[in-house]
Amino acid sequence: MININKDYDIRIIFYYIGYIIIGTAGLMIFPIITSLLYREWNPLTDFVISFSIAVNIGIMLVLWGKSSVDKVRIQWKHGLVIASLSWIILMILCAIPYRLSGNLQSFLDACFDVMSGFTTSGIMLIQDLDHTSMGLNMWRHLITFIGGQGMVVLALSFLVRDNVVGYKMYVGEGKDIELVPNVKGTAKIIWLISIVYLAIGTLALWIDGILIGLKPVTAFYHGLFIYMSSWSTGGFAPMSQNIMYYHSMSYEIITIIFFIIGSFNFGLHYAVWQGDKKEIFKNIETQSFFITATIASFLAAIFLAKSNVYSNGLSVFRRVIYNVLSAHTTTGFANVYARQFAYEWGDFGIFIMVLAMLVGGSACSTAGGFKGLRVGIVVKGIINDVRKLLRSERRISVFKFHHIKEHILDSNIIKASALIIICYIVLFIIGVGIGVYYGYPVSESAFEAASATGNVGLTIGVTAPNMPSVMKVYYIIAMYLGRLEFMSAFALIGFIIGGIKKKCLSLVR
Amino acid sequence: MLNIKKVVNGIITECSYVVFLMLLIMAMSLAFIR
């Protein structure tokens, strides 16, 4: 028998997960409306069925866990487990309309696409994308947009009242920045920033879509979908040719602007929106991104131009810089075909892309990867250690870095950053190993593993419905761990092992 | 909380930063290619 405290622990966890499920399931109203407007009766039925299942499960969990609310004091372990477990449950529930649509060959493929959406990755196994219903397309892009901000942030904004509980769940989702003293306020500001940019970005892409020849209604939906993918650094697009479908440089420029801005820290947006314009130049993350993005784009452009793959300025910008920045911000929009990376970019081009994908965007943003903040901290830590060695031994130096405010660069911060980077590298290496085991070339395995680990979404052609199931499962795990930044997922594993251990001990006694 | 004028200025600052970054990368790359 499960001990009574553990039982309450489980109930309180599922109580809050119930709210997160209800919040996310509520969003199915948008694809339902879209299906109604487009008179797509089959997708409409799929979404009504999925919505009913998810909401009923959510309500049952809330009712089941309600009795424990006053009996358990929420601790860090609860917050971390709520965040990590809710992502897994939501992956399963949100995959139902995917599977019912018939566009995916198995439920595992549907889960793969949902996790790719939630983690704002963008690699996909969906088939016949060009003929997918508008309702399902709305759902694909909506889960990317919600995933960028976080489902816990969504629930916190509208459903969860307790700030202390909320903060622990918020951290569990891989976010740590506090824009205002209470976490509900922070969650609302994150949404405000995203919605303001949603309006601007959709309008810009809508107008541009009409100018490049799309019909007004189609231009609006494409603008909305592409914007949601850009801002969330997601990489999904309504057409299988991705951003190439539009054959438009203006469309590409607009998406570059929004996916780079989307890869910035929400704390940075808030500081700049409050009038602190200098923050964008002083912040260690933007400095780090500025340096790494410039070097990566420059090296790739020089290499591919010298190799005569792309020889004029326009093709260098549209084919090289666009894709490198898309990789670096972990967006995943591509305006070359997947196999062109393998056949034209060469090992050096792939090497640059892998590094860019692994480094990624900013912490507490919609982007993935190690994050510029950690790279900046570790590099600054190394520089400062060298400086210390060169200075007089009697001199005591305090080193700082600027990220929204001044922080002292102590060894604990450097250690924590280095540990997360090591975890990412281990996850990446295992991914490469699995790819090589199944017969893919090392460079292609590395490209795809970096794309999954860094939540990027670019593909070199490895991700396909016929790839081995083990690789599909591993990429789901890599996307999930990469997005949640390991700690809450480790807490979930620890919680499950602890529960099993206690149950075994009680059985032995 | 947030002042609309400051928000608009903030959005312009962020967009300008990105455009500046793109132009810089483009200029550097073209300078070396030619």
Side-chain angles (χ1 to χ4, degrees):
Chain A
M1 214 177 83
I2 301 174
N3 102 21
I4 200 79
N5 291 332
K6 198 79 193 169
D7 186 43
Y8 280 128
D9 276 346
I10 294 168
R11 278 174 186 255
I12 195 79
I13 286 167
F14 280 107
Y15 173 75
Y16 285 105
I17 288 176
Y19 273 118
I20 297 172
I21 291 172
I22 294 169
T24 310
L27 295 168
M28 284 191 198
I29 204 76
F30 291 102
I32 288 174
I33 293 170
T34 310
S35 300
L36 268 174
L37 290 174
Y38 274 82
R39 295 164 184 262
E40 296 170 332
W41 307 122
N42 286 341
L44 178 69
T45 319
D46 298 344
F47 280 106
V48 171
I49 293 168
S50 311
F51 174 79
S52 311
I53 294 171
V55 168
N56 277 312
I57 290 175
I59 291 170
M60 280 195 288
L61 290 178
V62 169
L63 293 176
W64 184 64
K66 208 172 182 183
S67 60
S68 61
V69 173
D70 300 325
K71 295 188 176 77
V72 182
R73 210 176 128 252
I74 289 283
Q75 298 167 27
W76 277 107
K77 66 174 180 184
H78 297 116
L80 298 178
V81 171
I82 291 166
S84 50
L85 190 56
S86 61
W87 277 60
I88 296 172
I89 296 173
L90 282 173
M91 173 189 76
I92 296 164
L93 293 175
C94 294
I96 299 171
Y98 272 78
R99 181 66 183 125
L100 291 176
S101 73
N103 285 78
L104 289 125
Q105 67 180 23
S106 68
F107 196 72
L108 176 65
D109 288 12
C111 288
F112 184 98
D113 273 32
V114 172
M115 188 52 88
S116 176
F118 276 149
T119 56
T120 73
S121 299
I123 39 179
M124 56 192 183
L125 298 174
I126 195 164
Q127 295 178 19
D128 198 18
L129 182 60
D130 295 341
H131 301 103
T132 303
S133 67
M134 210 50 145
L136 187 63
N137 256 324
M138 173 61 88
W139 186 231
R140 292 174 64 232
H141 293 90
L142 197 61
I143 60 174
T144 305
F145 187 63
I146 302 305
Q149 279 59 250
M151 281 80 80
V152 168
V153 170
L154 174 79
L156 279 176
S157 310
F158 305 105
L159 299 169
V160 178
R161 287 184 199 148
D162 192 330
N163 268 309
V164 180
V165 179
Y167 185 68
K168 286 164 183 165
M169 286 155 57
Y170 174 75
V171 172
E173 208 174 37
K175 293 185 169 64
D176 54 2
I177 200 114
E178 290 175 81
L179 305 177
V180 285
N182 69 77
V183 73
K184 260 180 95 73
T186 299
K188 282 181 179 165
I189 290 170
I190 288 177
W191 276 107
L192 178 74
I193 293 167
S194 304
I195 299 291
V196 168
Y197 270 120
L198 174 77
I200 298 169
T202 306
L203 183 69
L205 289 167
W206 184 20
I207 294 168
D208 194 50
I210 294 170
L211 292 175
I212 62 173
L214 296 176
K215 287 177 186 163
V217 178
T218 312
F220 172 76
Y221 275 107
H222 280 237
L224 178 67
F225 295 158
I226 294 292
Y227 170 77
M228 288 199 275
S229 272
S230 302
W231 171 258
S232 295
T233 64
F236 281 158
M239 307 307 285
S240 58
Q241 283 184 308
N242 204 269
I243 217 73
M244 261 184 302
Y245 173 77
Y246 304 98
H247 291 290
S248 163
M249 187 169 163
S250 54
Y251 221 77
E252 287 163 14
I253 289 174
I254 295 170
T255 53
I256 284 195
I257 292 173
F258 286 109
F259 67 59
I260 292 180
I261 294 176
S263 76
F264 288 163
N265 194 306
F266 282 107
L268 176 72
H269 292 300
Y270 190 59
V272 175
W273 283 24
Q274 281 193 311
D276 186 6
K277 290 181 189 174
K278 286 181 186 165
E279 181 62 35
I280 205 164
F281 301 105
K282 287 192 294 184
N283 195 297
I284 190 170
E285 279 189 306
T286 42
Q287 288 177 348
S288 168
F289 177 75
F290 193 95
I291 295 167
T292 50
T294 309
I295 294 173
S297 306
F298 174 69
L299 289 177
I302 298 293
F303 172 74
L304 290 166
K306 297 284 178 207
S307 318
N308 283 326
V309 179
Y310 305 109
S311 48
N312 63 62
L314 195 63
S315 61
V316 164
F317 175 75
R318 290 186 66 182
R319 307 285 175 233
V320 185
I321 295 173
Y322 187 89
N323 288 300
V324 172
L325 290 179
S326 172
H328 199 328
T329 55
T330 74
T331 306
F333 279 150
N335 55 12
V336 296
Y337 288 103
R339 294 307 292 163
Q340 278 181 275
F341 288 119
Y343 298 139
E344 293 179 354
W345 281 53
D347 286 340
F348 187 73
I350 291 174
F351 170 70
I352 294 286
M353 291 293 273
V354 168
L355 285 184
M357 287 193 276
L358 286 175
V359 172
S362 296
C364 198
S365 70
T366 63
F370 305 157
K371 311 279 160 50
L373 179 64
R374 296 196 183 98
V375 174
I377 286 172
V378 171
V379 169
K380 208 159 186 176
I382 294 168
I383 293 169
N384 290 341
D385 273 356
V386 174
R387 269 194 202 157
K388 262 188 211 169
L389 289 172
L390 298 176
R391 281 181 182 172
S392 158
E393 281 178 28
R394 275 183 286 174
R395 193 169 159 185
I396 298 168
S397 310
V398 176
F399 296 105
K400 291 180 179 175
F401 68 94
H402 184 88
H403 175 55
I404 313 298
K405 58 183 182 185
E406 290 294 320
H407 297 266
I408 292 172
L409 187 66
D410 62 33
S411 54
N412 284 337
I413 294 178
I414 300 170
K415 201 174 103 186
S417 301
L419 270 176
I420 298 287
I421 291 178
I422 290 168
C423 286
Y424 271 106
I425 292 172
V426 170
L427 197 64
F428 164 70
I429 290 171
I430 296 172
V432 178
I434 293 174
V436 173
Y437 175 81
Y438 280 103
Y440 295 99
V442 177
S443 59
E444 293 182 19
S445 300
F447 190 100
E448 216 75 1
S451 184
T453 312
N455 301 136
V456 182
L458 286 170
T459 178
I460 200 163
V462 173
T463 302
N466 60 354
M467 78 174 174
S469 296
V470 174
M471 284 180 74
K472 290 177 188 172
V473 172
Y474 186 77
Y475 286 169
I476 290 176
I477 294 169
M479 290 188 279
Y480 171 71
L481 289 176
R483 182 68 189 161
L484 293 184
E485 303 193 335
F486 304 98
M487 289 309 150
S488 53
F490 291 163
L492 175 64
I493 296 167
F495 188 79
I496 293 168
I497 292 172
I500 294 169
K501 220 171 163 183
K502 270 189 181 174
K503 199 167 181 183
C504 291
L505 283 173
S506 67
L507 285 173
V508 169
R509 280 169 197 159
Chain B
M1 215 170 73
L2 284 167
N3 171 316
I4 291 184
K5 200 176 163 190
K6 283 183 180 174
V7 169
V8 173
N9 279 333
I11 291 169
I12 293 169
T13 306
E14 289 187 288
C15 292
S16 311
Y17 175 82
V18 174
V19 172
F20 166 69
L21 177 67
M22 277 195 296
L23 289 174
L24 179 83
I25 293 172
M26 198 58 208
M28 275 176 66
S29 307
L30 286 182
F32 272 82
I33 291 165
R34 283 170 186 171

